[in-house]
Amino acid sequence: MTRLARTRVVAIDGPAGSGKSTVARGVARKLDLEVLDTGAMYRAVTLLALEYGLDLADGPGIAATARTVRLELDSPPGSVALDGRDVSREIRGPAVAAAVSQVSAHPEVRTLLVDRQRRWVDVHGGGVVEGRDIGTVVFPDAPLKVFLTASPEERAKRRALDEAAADRPTDEREVEQAIARRDELDSSRATSPLRPADDAIVIDTTGRDADGVASEIVERFRATAGAEP
Ligand code: DC
């Protein structure tokens, strides 16, 4: 069961605004799989730490508290709940965005969430899993690993559009600076830094439409799956 589930994994990594979420949804639809948004899990634990007033430098303390709380994804689809409370909106707010890189750098937090991500895939019979370390750490044996990139300007533009859609209109320059700061922290941390797996295909999504990128990934996945014994 476990091995079979993991042969149906598409790992999608990349920095903020590289198009991961939209592309992951497109790939999942075409392959009839579900999406696991691992960033939402790190954001939920960050929200928890902020709400409980925990010391953000205390990785073991945050992980211990997170262990006592029910973190549910996808009921309803795309939602995130902490102990039955829907926090889908709160986890996208500025307080969480400012703290999530610090919280997600703690090895104790990562160990807890990576374990939950692997269990999610086993239960769901595979999935399209998006994050920062999926191809390098969580599913190093995934049949297809994709690393998405895009120019800093385009990434900032996409994030600003997301913010506007969520009624949090913001300045594009500010968004660009905020994501540059977060990328720097995510890429330079000691544990599971953001980087492409050695065997990942790297796709620059600048100026490309998400459906075209999703189709390209699906073709590559089918070719890889076809090549399996
Ligand atoms: O994808 P996102 O912007 O929602 O992710 C929020 C943060 O979570 C990101 O700045 C880094 C962290 N993250 C991580 O460390 N590992 C993952 N697999 C996914 C996200």
Side-chain angles (χ1 to χ4, degrees):
M1 151 74 174
T2 296
R3 216 193 97 62
L4 200 61
R6 293 183 186 177
T7 62
R8 299 270 301 154
V9 170
V10 181
I12 303 185
D13 291 304
S18 57
K20 291 188 304 289
S21 303
T22 315
V23 168
R25 279 199 298 275
V27 171
R29 205 167 40 242
K30 291 173 199 289
L31 290 175
D32 200 19
L33 290 171
E34 285 178 56
V35 177
L36 178 60
D37 174 0
T38 62
M41 300 171 80
Y42 288 97
R43 285 170 180 270
V45 171
T46 303
L47 178 68
L48 182 80
L50 291 171
E51 287 186 343
Y52 277 58
L54 302 180
D55 176 2
L56 298 187
D58 177 13
I62 296 172
T65 305
R67 239 176 255 283
T68 66
V69 169
R70 239 176 339 118
L71 168 58
E72 288 163 311
L73 296 149
D74 289 336
S75 48
S79 71
V80 182
L82 283 176
D83 271 343
R85 178 171 58 105
D86 190 330
V87 293
S88 314
R89 199 180 148 77
E90 286 95 320
I91 63 166
R92 307 282 164 204
V96 169
V100 65
S101 288
Q102 187 180 0
V103 170
S104 61
H106 296 303
E108 299 81 5
V109 172
R110 303 203 70 83
T111 301
L112 173 71
L113 293 187
V114 167
D115 181 54
R116 293 199 180 168
Q117 289 154 19
R118 292 181 178 144
R119 269 194 281 148
W120 184 96
V121 159
D122 291 342
V123 168
H124 288 77
V128 180
V129 187
E130 56 137 316
R132 302 290 190 289
D133 60 339
I134 310 306
T136 50
V137 174
V138 187
F139 294 112
D141 297 328
L144 184 65
K145 301 169 201 171
V146 180
F147 192 88
L148 298 183
T149 63
S151 71
E153 298 75 28
E154 177 130 347
R155 296 199 284 120
K157 199 177 298 165
R158 290 176 185 160
R159 270 290 147 113
L161 283 174
D162 289 347
E163 293 295 300
D167 275 339
R168 285 191 299 262
T170 175
D171 178 64
E172 218 169 284
R173 285 271 319 147
E174 269 172 33
V175 180
E176 193 173 337
Q177 285 164 0
I179 63 179
R181 234 180 354 257
R182 197 141 63 84
D183 288 351
E184 169 58 24
L185 290 169
D186 294 345
S187 308
S188 60
R189 68 183 176 215
T191 311
S192 312
L194 167 68
R195 66 167 182 84
D198 293 338
D199 52 351
I201 56 165
V202 179
I203 302 178
D204 185 342
T205 66
T206 310
R208 289 191 59 182
D209 112 273
D211 197 57
V213 176
S215 297
E216 181 182 337
I217 293 171
V218 167
E219 258 173 52
R220 299 289 289 254
F221 180 75
R222 292 208 166 112
T224 320
E228 295 244 320

